[in-house]
Short mmCIF file of all heavy atoms in Angstrom, two decimals:
data_model
loop_
_atom_site.label_atom_id
_atom_site.label_comp_id
_atom_site.label_asym_id
_atom_site.label_seq_id
_atom_site.Cartn_x
_atom_site.Cartn_y
_atom_site.Cartn_z
N SER Z 159 -10.90 -17.60 -16.54
CA SER Z 159 -10.96 -17.32 -15.12
C SER Z 159 -10.33 -18.53 -14.39
O SER Z 159 -10.49 -19.72 -14.79
CB SER Z 159 -12.46 -17.09 -14.61
OG SER Z 159 -13.01 -15.97 -15.12
N VAL Z 160 -9.83 -18.23 -13.25
CA VAL Z 160 -9.24 -19.25 -12.34
C VAL Z 160 -9.91 -19.06 -11.02
O VAL Z 160 -10.04 -18.02 -10.38
CB VAL Z 160 -7.70 -19.13 -12.20
CG1 VAL Z 160 -7.21 -20.13 -11.13
CG2 VAL Z 160 -7.08 -19.40 -13.50
N THR Z 161 -10.54 -20.16 -10.44
CA THR Z 161 -11.04 -20.16 -9.17
C THR Z 161 -10.42 -21.17 -8.35
O THR Z 161 -10.33 -22.39 -8.68
CB THR Z 161 -12.62 -20.51 -9.26
OG1 THR Z 161 -13.28 -19.59 -10.21
CG2 THR Z 161 -13.27 -20.52 -7.90
N VAL Z 162 -9.85 -20.70 -7.21
CA VAL Z 162 -9.20 -21.70 -6.30
C VAL Z 162 -10.21 -21.81 -5.10
O VAL Z 162 -10.43 -20.80 -4.49
CB VAL Z 162 -7.84 -21.03 -5.85
CG1 VAL Z 162 -7.11 -22.01 -4.87
CG2 VAL Z 162 -6.82 -20.83 -7.07
N PRO Z 163 -10.52 -23.06 -4.79
CA PRO Z 163 -11.55 -23.25 -3.63
C PRO Z 163 -10.89 -22.72 -2.31
O PRO Z 163 -9.55 -22.77 -2.18
CB PRO Z 163 -11.69 -24.68 -3.59
CG PRO Z 163 -11.28 -25.29 -4.94
CD PRO Z 163 -10.12 -24.27 -5.33
N SER Z 164 -11.61 -22.17 -1.51
CA SER Z 164 -11.07 -21.69 -0.17
C SER Z 164 -10.47 -22.81 0.64
O SER Z 164 -9.80 -22.52 1.57
CB SER Z 164 -12.26 -20.92 0.58
OG SER Z 164 -13.34 -21.86 0.78
N SER Z 165 -10.87 -24.01 0.34
CA SER Z 165 -10.34 -25.17 1.08
C SER Z 165 -8.98 -25.59 0.63
O SER Z 165 -8.34 -26.46 0.98
CB SER Z 165 -11.26 -26.27 1.04
OG SER Z 165 -11.47 -26.73 -0.33
N SER Z 166 -8.54 -24.98 -0.55
CA SER Z 166 -7.35 -25.25 -1.18
C SER Z 166 -6.06 -25.07 -0.16
O SER Z 166 -6.04 -24.21 0.70
CB SER Z 166 -7.06 -24.51 -2.42
OG SER Z 166 -5.76 -24.53 -2.96
N ASN Z 167 -4.99 -25.91 -0.49
CA ASN Z 167 -3.72 -25.53 0.24
C ASN Z 167 -2.85 -24.77 -0.46
O ASN Z 167 -1.63 -24.61 0.04
CB ASN Z 167 -3.13 -27.07 0.52
CG ASN Z 167 -3.97 -27.87 1.36
OD1 ASN Z 167 -4.49 -27.51 2.34
ND2 ASN Z 167 -3.87 -29.31 1.07
N LEU Z 168 -3.26 -24.02 -1.43
CA LEU Z 168 -2.44 -23.02 -2.11
C LEU Z 168 -1.95 -22.01 -1.31
O LEU Z 168 -2.81 -21.28 -0.62
CB LEU Z 168 -3.19 -22.57 -3.28
CG LEU Z 168 -2.37 -21.51 -4.14
CD1 LEU Z 168 -1.30 -22.15 -4.94
CD2 LEU Z 168 -3.35 -20.79 -5.10
N VAL Z 169 -0.69 -21.93 -1.04
CA VAL Z 169 -0.01 -20.88 -0.28
C VAL Z 169 1.00 -20.10 -0.98
O VAL Z 169 1.39 -18.92 -0.60
CB VAL Z 169 0.61 -21.32 1.04
CG1 VAL Z 169 -0.57 -21.90 1.98
CG2 VAL Z 169 1.71 -22.32 0.72
N HIS Z 170 1.38 -20.44 -2.21
CA HIS Z 170 2.47 -19.83 -2.97
C HIS Z 170 2.15 -19.78 -4.47
O HIS Z 170 1.82 -20.87 -5.02
CB HIS Z 170 3.81 -20.67 -2.72
CG HIS Z 170 4.99 -20.11 -3.43
ND1 HIS Z 170 5.89 -19.35 -2.69
CD2 HIS Z 170 5.41 -20.13 -4.70
CE1 HIS Z 170 6.92 -19.03 -3.52
NE2 HIS Z 170 6.59 -19.42 -4.78
N ILE Z 171 2.18 -18.70 -5.18
CA ILE Z 171 2.09 -18.58 -6.59
C ILE Z 171 3.41 -18.09 -7.04
O ILE Z 171 3.90 -17.07 -6.72
CB ILE Z 171 1.00 -17.48 -6.96
CG1 ILE Z 171 -0.36 -18.04 -6.36
CG2 ILE Z 171 0.92 -17.32 -8.40
CD1 ILE Z 171 -1.50 -17.00 -6.59
N GLY Z 172 4.07 -18.94 -7.94
CA GLY Z 172 5.46 -18.87 -8.28
C GLY Z 172 5.61 -17.63 -9.29
O GLY Z 172 4.81 -17.19 -9.96
N GLU Z 173 6.97 -17.33 -9.35
CA GLU Z 173 7.42 -16.31 -10.28
C GLU Z 173 6.89 -16.67 -11.75
O GLU Z 173 6.96 -17.74 -12.34
CB GLU Z 173 8.91 -16.26 -10.35
CG GLU Z 173 9.48 -15.08 -11.18
CD GLU Z 173 10.99 -15.01 -11.02
OE1 GLU Z 173 11.48 -15.21 -9.93
OE2 GLU Z 173 11.58 -14.67 -12.00
N LYS Z 174 6.23 -15.64 -12.47
CA LYS Z 174 5.75 -15.80 -13.85
C LYS Z 174 4.72 -16.92 -13.95
O LYS Z 174 4.59 -17.46 -15.13
CB LYS Z 174 6.95 -16.02 -14.83
CG LYS Z 174 7.90 -14.75 -14.78
CD LYS Z 174 9.12 -15.01 -15.63
CE LYS Z 174 10.18 -13.88 -15.50
NZ LYS Z 174 11.28 -14.21 -16.29
N ALA Z 175 3.95 -17.27 -13.01
CA ALA Z 175 3.23 -18.32 -12.96
C ALA Z 175 2.03 -18.20 -14.10
O ALA Z 175 1.68 -19.31 -14.63
CB ALA Z 175 2.52 -18.52 -11.61
N PHE Z 176 1.57 -17.12 -14.20
CA PHE Z 176 0.47 -16.85 -15.32
C PHE Z 176 0.88 -15.85 -16.31
O PHE Z 176 0.04 -15.11 -16.95
CB PHE Z 176 -0.76 -16.34 -14.57
CG PHE Z 176 -1.36 -17.42 -13.60
CD1 PHE Z 176 -1.08 -17.32 -12.25
CD2 PHE Z 176 -1.99 -18.40 -14.11
CE1 PHE Z 176 -1.63 -18.19 -11.41
CE2 PHE Z 176 -2.57 -19.41 -13.14
CZ PHE Z 176 -2.30 -19.28 -11.80
N TRP Z 177 2.23 -15.72 -16.67
CA TRP Z 177 2.73 -14.86 -17.54
C TRP Z 177 2.06 -15.01 -18.89
O TRP Z 177 2.00 -16.17 -19.41
CB TRP Z 177 4.20 -15.00 -17.70
CG TRP Z 177 4.99 -14.04 -18.60
CD1 TRP Z 177 4.50 -13.59 -19.75
CD2 TRP Z 177 6.32 -13.40 -18.37
NE1 TRP Z 177 5.40 -12.69 -20.30
CE2 TRP Z 177 6.51 -12.62 -19.41
CE3 TRP Z 177 7.09 -13.60 -17.35
CZ2 TRP Z 177 7.69 -11.89 -19.57
CZ3 TRP Z 177 8.35 -12.79 -17.42
CH2 TRP Z 177 8.53 -12.04 -18.38
N ASN Z 178 1.55 -13.96 -19.48
CA ASN Z 178 0.93 -13.99 -20.77
C ASN Z 178 -0.28 -15.01 -20.95
O ASN Z 178 -0.65 -15.40 -22.15
CB ASN Z 178 1.85 -14.24 -21.94
CG ASN Z 178 2.80 -13.02 -22.13
OD1 ASN Z 178 2.28 -11.90 -21.85
ND2 ASN Z 178 4.08 -13.21 -22.47
N CYS Z 179 -0.91 -15.32 -19.86
CA CYS Z 179 -2.04 -16.14 -19.90
C CYS Z 179 -3.31 -15.30 -20.29
O CYS Z 179 -3.41 -14.09 -19.89
CB CYS Z 179 -2.28 -16.86 -18.67
SG CYS Z 179 -1.23 -18.31 -18.28
N ALA Z 180 -4.35 -15.87 -20.91
CA ALA Z 180 -5.46 -15.17 -21.26
C ALA Z 180 -6.55 -15.25 -20.20
O ALA Z 180 -7.47 -15.96 -20.23
CB ALA Z 180 -6.04 -15.79 -22.58
N LEU Z 181 -6.20 -14.65 -19.04
CA LEU Z 181 -7.07 -14.66 -17.76
C LEU Z 181 -8.07 -13.55 -17.82
O LEU Z 181 -7.68 -12.42 -18.26
CB LEU Z 181 -6.32 -14.63 -16.59
CG LEU Z 181 -5.37 -15.77 -16.31
CD1 LEU Z 181 -4.69 -15.45 -14.98
CD2 LEU Z 181 -6.27 -17.05 -15.95
N SER Z 182 -9.21 -13.77 -17.30
CA SER Z 182 -10.19 -12.46 -17.21
C SER Z 182 -10.39 -12.23 -15.71
O SER Z 182 -10.64 -11.12 -15.44
CB SER Z 182 -11.46 -12.78 -17.83
OG SER Z 182 -12.14 -14.06 -17.30
N SER Z 183 -10.21 -13.22 -14.92
CA SER Z 183 -10.36 -13.02 -13.42
C SER Z 183 -9.59 -14.11 -12.64
O SER Z 183 -9.42 -15.25 -13.16
CB SER Z 183 -11.78 -12.99 -12.97
OG SER Z 183 -12.36 -14.17 -13.17
N PHE Z 184 -9.09 -13.74 -11.48
CA PHE Z 184 -8.35 -14.61 -10.64
C PHE Z 184 -8.58 -14.05 -9.18
O PHE Z 184 -8.41 -12.88 -8.91
CB PHE Z 184 -6.78 -14.54 -11.01
CG PHE Z 184 -6.07 -15.57 -10.28
CD1 PHE Z 184 -5.86 -16.83 -10.84
CD2 PHE Z 184 -5.57 -15.39 -8.94
CE1 PHE Z 184 -5.11 -17.81 -10.23
CE2 PHE Z 184 -4.94 -16.35 -8.28
CZ PHE Z 184 -4.68 -17.57 -8.84
N THR Z 185 -8.92 -14.94 -8.28
CA THR Z 185 -9.03 -14.65 -6.85
C THR Z 185 -7.92 -15.17 -6.17
O THR Z 185 -7.80 -16.50 -6.25
CB THR Z 185 -10.42 -15.09 -6.29
OG1 THR Z 185 -11.47 -14.51 -7.12
CG2 THR Z 185 -10.55 -14.80 -4.90
N ILE Z 186 -7.21 -14.47 -5.53
CA ILE Z 186 -6.10 -14.90 -4.62
C ILE Z 186 -6.64 -15.27 -3.29
O ILE Z 186 -7.19 -14.41 -2.56
CB ILE Z 186 -4.94 -13.86 -4.54
CG1 ILE Z 186 -4.30 -13.57 -5.86
CG2 ILE Z 186 -3.85 -14.34 -3.53
CD1 ILE Z 186 -3.37 -12.40 -5.73
N PRO Z 187 -6.60 -16.61 -2.86
CA PRO Z 187 -7.26 -16.96 -1.61
C PRO Z 187 -6.61 -16.40 -0.42
O PRO Z 187 -5.37 -16.02 -0.56
CB PRO Z 187 -7.16 -18.55 -1.60
CG PRO Z 187 -6.73 -18.92 -3.05
CD PRO Z 187 -6.14 -17.74 -3.71
N SER Z 188 -7.23 -16.32 0.65
CA SER Z 188 -6.65 -15.71 1.87
C SER Z 188 -5.52 -16.40 2.53
O SER Z 188 -4.70 -15.82 3.19
CB SER Z 188 -7.80 -15.58 2.96
OG SER Z 188 -8.33 -16.83 3.29
N ASN Z 189 -5.32 -17.64 2.19
CA ASN Z 189 -4.17 -18.39 2.74
C ASN Z 189 -2.93 -18.29 2.03
O ASN Z 189 -1.90 -18.79 2.26
CB ASN Z 189 -4.57 -19.95 2.95
CG ASN Z 189 -5.16 -20.56 1.70
OD1 ASN Z 189 -5.84 -19.84 0.90
ND2 ASN Z 189 -4.85 -21.83 1.50
N VAL Z 190 -2.98 -17.58 0.85
CA VAL Z 190 -1.67 -17.31 -0.01
C VAL Z 190 -0.79 -16.37 0.74
O VAL Z 190 -1.28 -15.22 1.18
CB VAL Z 190 -2.03 -16.78 -1.39
CG1 VAL Z 190 -0.80 -16.26 -2.15
CG2 VAL Z 190 -2.76 -17.89 -2.21
N ASN Z 191 0.45 -16.76 0.89
CA ASN Z 191 1.33 -15.93 1.66
C ASN Z 191 2.42 -15.36 0.89
O ASN Z 191 3.32 -14.64 1.26
CB ASN Z 191 1.96 -16.61 2.96
CG ASN Z 191 2.64 -17.89 2.64
OD1 ASN Z 191 3.27 -18.04 1.53
ND2 ASN Z 191 2.52 -18.82 3.49
N PHE Z 192 2.50 -15.73 -0.54
CA PHE Z 192 3.53 -15.34 -1.31
C PHE Z 192 3.15 -15.40 -2.91
O PHE Z 192 2.56 -16.41 -3.23
CB PHE Z 192 4.84 -16.00 -1.25
CG PHE Z 192 5.88 -15.48 -2.07
CD1 PHE Z 192 6.61 -14.36 -1.69
CD2 PHE Z 192 6.24 -16.02 -3.29
CE1 PHE Z 192 7.67 -13.84 -2.49
CE2 PHE Z 192 7.23 -15.57 -4.15
CZ PHE Z 192 7.91 -14.35 -3.78
N VAL Z 193 3.26 -14.26 -3.50
CA VAL Z 193 3.13 -14.35 -5.05
C VAL Z 193 4.55 -13.81 -5.56
O VAL Z 193 5.06 -12.75 -5.25
CB VAL Z 193 1.99 -13.37 -5.48
CG1 VAL Z 193 1.93 -13.24 -6.90
CG2 VAL Z 193 0.73 -13.85 -4.81
N GLY Z 194 5.06 -14.59 -6.49
CA GLY Z 194 6.41 -14.27 -7.17
C GLY Z 194 6.34 -13.10 -8.03
O GLY Z 194 5.37 -12.55 -8.52
N ASN Z 195 7.62 -12.70 -8.36
CA ASN Z 195 7.80 -11.57 -9.26
C ASN Z 195 7.07 -11.81 -10.64
O ASN Z 195 7.14 -12.87 -11.17
CB ASN Z 195 9.32 -11.46 -9.58
CG ASN Z 195 10.08 -11.12 -8.45
OD1 ASN Z 195 9.66 -10.50 -7.45
ND2 ASN Z 195 11.51 -11.37 -8.59
N ASN Z 196 6.37 -10.83 -11.11
CA ASN Z 196 5.67 -10.89 -12.36
C ASN Z 196 4.87 -12.05 -12.65
O ASN Z 196 4.63 -12.54 -13.65
CB ASN Z 196 6.79 -10.85 -13.54
CG ASN Z 196 7.60 -9.52 -13.51
OD1 ASN Z 196 7.12 -8.42 -13.56
ND2 ASN Z 196 8.98 -9.73 -13.47
N ALA Z 197 4.18 -12.50 -11.68
CA ALA Z 197 3.31 -13.62 -11.62
C ALA Z 197 2.13 -13.47 -12.71
O ALA Z 197 1.77 -14.46 -13.22
CB ALA Z 197 2.68 -13.97 -10.27
N PHE Z 198 1.66 -12.26 -12.83
CA PHE Z 198 0.53 -11.99 -13.72
C PHE Z 198 0.98 -11.15 -14.87
O PHE Z 198 0.10 -10.52 -15.46
CB PHE Z 198 -0.63 -11.39 -13.05
CG PHE Z 198 -1.15 -12.26 -12.00
CD1 PHE Z 198 -0.80 -12.23 -10.69
CD2 PHE Z 198 -2.13 -13.24 -12.35
CE1 PHE Z 198 -1.34 -13.12 -9.76
CE2 PHE Z 198 -2.72 -14.03 -11.46
CZ PHE Z 198 -2.36 -14.07 -10.14
N LYS Z 199 2.29 -10.99 -15.18
CA LYS Z 199 2.72 -10.01 -16.30
C LYS Z 199 2.14 -10.60 -17.63
O LYS Z 199 2.02 -11.71 -17.91
CB LYS Z 199 4.25 -10.13 -16.33
CG LYS Z 199 4.81 -9.19 -17.40
CD LYS Z 199 6.36 -9.14 -17.37
CE LYS Z 199 6.71 -8.16 -18.45
NZ LYS Z 199 8.21 -7.89 -18.39
N GLY Z 200 1.69 -9.57 -18.32
CA GLY Z 200 1.16 -9.77 -19.65
C GLY Z 200 -0.34 -10.19 -19.57
O GLY Z 200 -0.84 -10.34 -20.60
N THR Z 201 -0.95 -10.18 -18.52
CA THR Z 201 -2.40 -10.48 -18.29
C THR Z 201 -3.08 -9.18 -18.01
O THR Z 201 -3.89 -9.19 -17.03
CB THR Z 201 -2.58 -11.42 -17.32
OG1 THR Z 201 -2.10 -11.15 -16.02
CG2 THR Z 201 -2.04 -12.90 -17.73
N VAL Z 202 -2.87 -8.06 -18.58
CA VAL Z 202 -3.34 -6.70 -18.19
C VAL Z 202 -4.85 -6.70 -18.20
O VAL Z 202 -5.41 -5.75 -17.54
CB VAL Z 202 -2.77 -5.64 -19.12
CG1 VAL Z 202 -1.26 -5.54 -18.81
CG2 VAL Z 202 -3.06 -5.77 -20.54
N THR Z 203 -5.57 -7.59 -18.75
CA THR Z 203 -7.07 -7.47 -18.66
C THR Z 203 -7.67 -8.24 -17.60
O THR Z 203 -8.81 -8.35 -17.44
CB THR Z 203 -7.73 -8.06 -20.03
OG1 THR Z 203 -7.28 -9.42 -20.17
CG2 THR Z 203 -7.27 -7.20 -21.18
N VAL Z 204 -6.72 -8.88 -16.77
CA VAL Z 204 -7.19 -9.76 -15.68
C VAL Z 204 -7.67 -8.86 -14.55
O VAL Z 204 -7.10 -7.84 -14.24
CB VAL Z 204 -6.26 -10.76 -15.17
CG1 VAL Z 204 -4.98 -9.97 -14.39
CG2 VAL Z 204 -6.75 -11.78 -14.24
N ASN Z 205 -8.77 -9.28 -13.84
CA ASN Z 205 -9.24 -8.54 -12.65
C ASN Z 205 -8.84 -9.45 -11.46
O ASN Z 205 -9.34 -10.59 -11.32
CB ASN Z 205 -10.72 -8.24 -12.56
CG ASN Z 205 -11.09 -7.21 -13.60
OD1 ASN Z 205 -10.58 -6.08 -13.58
ND2 ASN Z 205 -12.10 -7.38 -14.44
N ILE Z 206 -7.96 -9.03 -10.60
CA ILE Z 206 -7.48 -9.74 -9.45
C ILE Z 206 -8.27 -9.38 -8.20
O ILE Z 206 -8.25 -8.18 -7.81
CB ILE Z 206 -6.12 -9.66 -9.19
CG1 ILE Z 206 -5.32 -10.19 -10.55
CG2 ILE Z 206 -5.61 -10.55 -8.00
CD1 ILE Z 206 -3.78 -9.84 -10.52
N THR Z 207 -8.87 -10.35 -7.45
CA THR Z 207 -9.36 -10.12 -6.16
C THR Z 207 -8.48 -10.65 -5.20
O THR Z 207 -8.17 -11.85 -5.12
CB THR Z 207 -10.75 -10.73 -6.01
OG1 THR Z 207 -11.63 -10.26 -7.12
CG2 THR Z 207 -11.43 -10.48 -4.70
N ASN Z 208 -7.90 -9.80 -4.35
CA ASN Z 208 -6.96 -10.20 -3.45
C ASN Z 208 -7.53 -10.35 -2.02
O ASN Z 208 -7.87 -9.39 -1.38
CB ASN Z 208 -5.81 -9.27 -3.40
CG ASN Z 208 -4.69 -9.71 -2.44
OD1 ASN Z 208 -4.54 -10.85 -2.10
ND2 ASN Z 208 -3.71 -8.71 -2.16
N LYS Z 209 -7.63 -11.68 -1.50
CA LYS Z 209 -8.22 -11.86 -0.30
C LYS Z 209 -7.15 -12.13 0.80
O LYS Z 209 -7.42 -12.33 2.03
CB LYS Z 209 -9.22 -13.04 -0.41
CG LYS Z 209 -10.47 -12.71 -1.18
CD LYS Z 209 -11.47 -13.71 -1.15
CE LYS Z 209 -12.75 -13.39 -1.89
NZ LYS Z 209 -13.79 -14.34 -1.79
N ALA Z 210 -5.97 -12.10 0.39
CA ALA Z 210 -4.74 -12.23 1.34
C ALA Z 210 -4.74 -11.16 2.26
O ALA Z 210 -5.02 -9.99 1.96
CB ALA Z 210 -3.38 -12.37 0.54
N SER Z 211 -4.29 -11.34 3.49
CA SER Z 211 -4.30 -10.35 4.57
C SER Z 211 -3.14 -9.39 4.34
O SER Z 211 -3.17 -8.26 4.81
CB SER Z 211 -4.19 -10.99 5.96
OG SER Z 211 -3.06 -11.81 6.04
N SER Z 212 -2.10 -9.73 3.64
CA SER Z 212 -0.87 -8.85 3.46
C SER Z 212 -0.14 -9.15 2.19
O SER Z 212 -0.14 -10.33 1.73
CB SER Z 212 -0.05 -8.94 4.63
OG SER Z 212 1.21 -8.33 4.34
N THR Z 213 0.29 -8.15 1.53
CA THR Z 213 1.23 -8.48 0.29
C THR Z 213 2.61 -8.09 0.69
O THR Z 213 3.53 -8.11 -0.19
CB THR Z 213 0.72 -7.52 -0.87
OG1 THR Z 213 0.77 -6.21 -0.51
CG2 THR Z 213 -0.66 -7.78 -1.28
N SER Z 214 2.95 -7.85 1.98
CA SER Z 214 4.27 -7.55 2.35
C SER Z 214 5.18 -8.69 2.13
O SER Z 214 4.75 -9.91 2.45
CB SER Z 214 4.18 -7.33 3.88
OG SER Z 214 5.52 -7.01 4.34
N GLY Z 215 6.32 -8.50 1.49
CA GLY Z 215 7.23 -9.55 1.16
C GLY Z 215 6.99 -10.23 -0.12
O GLY Z 215 7.78 -11.13 -0.58
N TRP Z 216 5.99 -9.95 -0.89
CA TRP Z 216 5.57 -10.44 -2.14
C TRP Z 216 6.51 -9.97 -3.17
O TRP Z 216 7.26 -9.02 -3.00
CB TRP Z 216 4.13 -10.28 -2.54
CG TRP Z 216 3.17 -10.86 -1.92
CD1 TRP Z 216 3.18 -11.55 -0.55
CD2 TRP Z 216 1.72 -11.03 -2.20
NE1 TRP Z 216 2.06 -12.17 -0.30
CE2 TRP Z 216 1.10 -11.80 -1.25
CE3 TRP Z 216 1.07 -10.76 -3.32
CZ2 TRP Z 216 -0.33 -12.15 -1.24
CZ3 TRP Z 216 -0.34 -10.98 -3.28
CH2 TRP Z 216 -0.93 -11.82 -2.28
N GLY Z 217 6.70 -10.75 -4.20
CA GLY Z 217 7.71 -10.42 -5.30
C GLY Z 217 7.35 -9.00 -5.95
O GLY Z 217 6.21 -8.67 -5.94
N SER Z 218 8.35 -8.41 -6.44
CA SER Z 218 8.24 -7.18 -7.14
C SER Z 218 7.22 -7.19 -8.27
O SER Z 218 7.36 -8.37 -9.09
CB SER Z 218 9.64 -6.51 -7.46
OG SER Z 218 10.25 -7.31 -8.45
N ASN Z 219 6.53 -6.17 -8.61
CA ASN Z 219 5.59 -6.29 -9.78
C ASN Z 219 4.72 -7.50 -9.86
O ASN Z 219 4.46 -8.00 -11.01
CB ASN Z 219 6.40 -6.08 -11.00
CG ASN Z 219 7.15 -4.84 -10.97
OD1 ASN Z 219 6.57 -3.71 -10.71
ND2 ASN Z 219 8.54 -4.74 -11.47
N TRP Z 220 4.41 -8.09 -8.68
CA TRP Z 220 3.50 -9.31 -8.91
C TRP Z 220 2.25 -9.05 -9.58
O TRP Z 220 1.84 -10.04 -10.24
CB TRP Z 220 3.22 -9.88 -7.46
CG TRP Z 220 2.35 -8.97 -6.61
CD1 TRP Z 220 2.70 -7.99 -5.85
CD2 TRP Z 220 0.94 -9.10 -6.56
NE1 TRP Z 220 1.54 -7.37 -5.27
CE2 TRP Z 220 0.48 -8.01 -5.75
CE3 TRP Z 220 -0.10 -9.78 -7.30
CZ2 TRP Z 220 -0.94 -7.86 -5.40
CZ3 TRP Z 220 -1.44 -9.62 -7.01
CH2 TRP Z 220 -1.83 -8.65 -6.03
N SER Z 221 1.62 -7.92 -9.59
CA SER Z 221 0.39 -7.67 -10.33
C SER Z 221 0.69 -7.08 -11.59
O SER Z 221 -0.17 -7.04 -12.50
CB SER Z 221 -0.55 -6.85 -9.40
OG SER Z 221 0.09 -5.52 -9.16
N ASN Z 222 1.77 -6.43 -11.79
CA ASN Z 222 2.35 -5.78 -13.10
C ASN Z 222 1.31 -5.15 -13.94
O ASN Z 222 1.08 -5.59 -15.03
CB ASN Z 222 3.12 -6.85 -13.79
CG ASN Z 222 4.24 -6.27 -14.66
OD1 ASN Z 222 4.18 -5.06 -14.98
ND2 ASN Z 222 5.08 -7.09 -15.16
N GLY Z 223 0.57 -4.18 -13.48
CA GLY Z 223 -0.37 -3.45 -14.26
C GLY Z 223 -1.84 -3.99 -14.35
O GLY Z 223 -2.64 -3.51 -15.06
N CYS Z 224 -2.05 -5.08 -13.57
CA CYS Z 224 -3.44 -5.71 -13.54
C CYS Z 224 -4.36 -4.90 -12.68
O CYS Z 224 -3.85 -4.22 -11.75
CB CYS Z 224 -3.40 -7.14 -13.12
SG CYS Z 224 -2.38 -8.22 -14.15
N ASN Z 225 -5.59 -5.04 -12.83
CA ASN Z 225 -6.62 -4.46 -12.01
C ASN Z 225 -6.58 -5.24 -10.62
O ASN Z 225 -6.80 -6.53 -10.74
CB ASN Z 225 -7.94 -4.51 -12.52
CG ASN Z 225 -8.24 -3.45 -13.48
OD1 ASN Z 225 -7.63 -2.28 -13.40
ND2 ASN Z 225 -9.07 -3.67 -14.42
N VAL Z 226 -6.35 -4.75 -9.46
CA VAL Z 226 -6.33 -5.46 -8.24
C VAL Z 226 -7.42 -4.79 -7.29
O VAL Z 226 -7.37 -3.56 -7.06
CB VAL Z 226 -4.95 -5.48 -7.59
CG1 VAL Z 226 -4.96 -6.32 -6.30
CG2 VAL Z 226 -3.96 -6.11 -8.54
N ALA Z 227 -8.33 -5.67 -6.89
CA ALA Z 227 -9.27 -5.15 -5.89
C ALA Z 227 -9.13 -5.78 -4.55
O ALA Z 227 -8.69 -6.89 -4.43
CB ALA Z 227 -10.71 -5.55 -6.47
#
């Protein structure tokens, strides 16, 4: 699991950032304004909690088959 504190300055998750990582959960903080192409590719068992207000303009297939809530 990856936990990013709400006080984090994380605003960008790059292309293929977690490609084929063995993640079980990841929470995208509300201040993230971009997630790159295929950022979570190959992590199909990951449960993603998206707290960002919009995914408009994010990379194609950013969640690539993952569970997104």
Side-chain angles (χ1 to χ4, degrees):
S159 294
V160 174
T161 303
V162 180
S164 57
S165 60
S166 169
N167 292 325
L168 178 68
V169 294
H170 183 104
I171 297 173
E173 182 174 325
K174 301 178 184 174
F176 297 100
W177 185 318
N178 287 330
C179 287
L181 293 174
S182 60
S183 66
F184 189 95
T185 299
I186 298 174
S188 59
N189 51 327
V190 168
N191 58 33
F192 182 79
V193 178
N195 296 337
N196 299 306
F198 294 94
K199 183 174 183 172
T201 57
V202 293
T203 59
V204 70
N205 289 311
I206 298 173
T207 303
N208 183 14
K209 294 188 176 185
S211 59
S212 173
T213 59
S214 176
W216 286 17
S218 63
N219 298 317
W220 68 270
S221 61
N222 208 348
C224 301
N225 283 328
V226 179

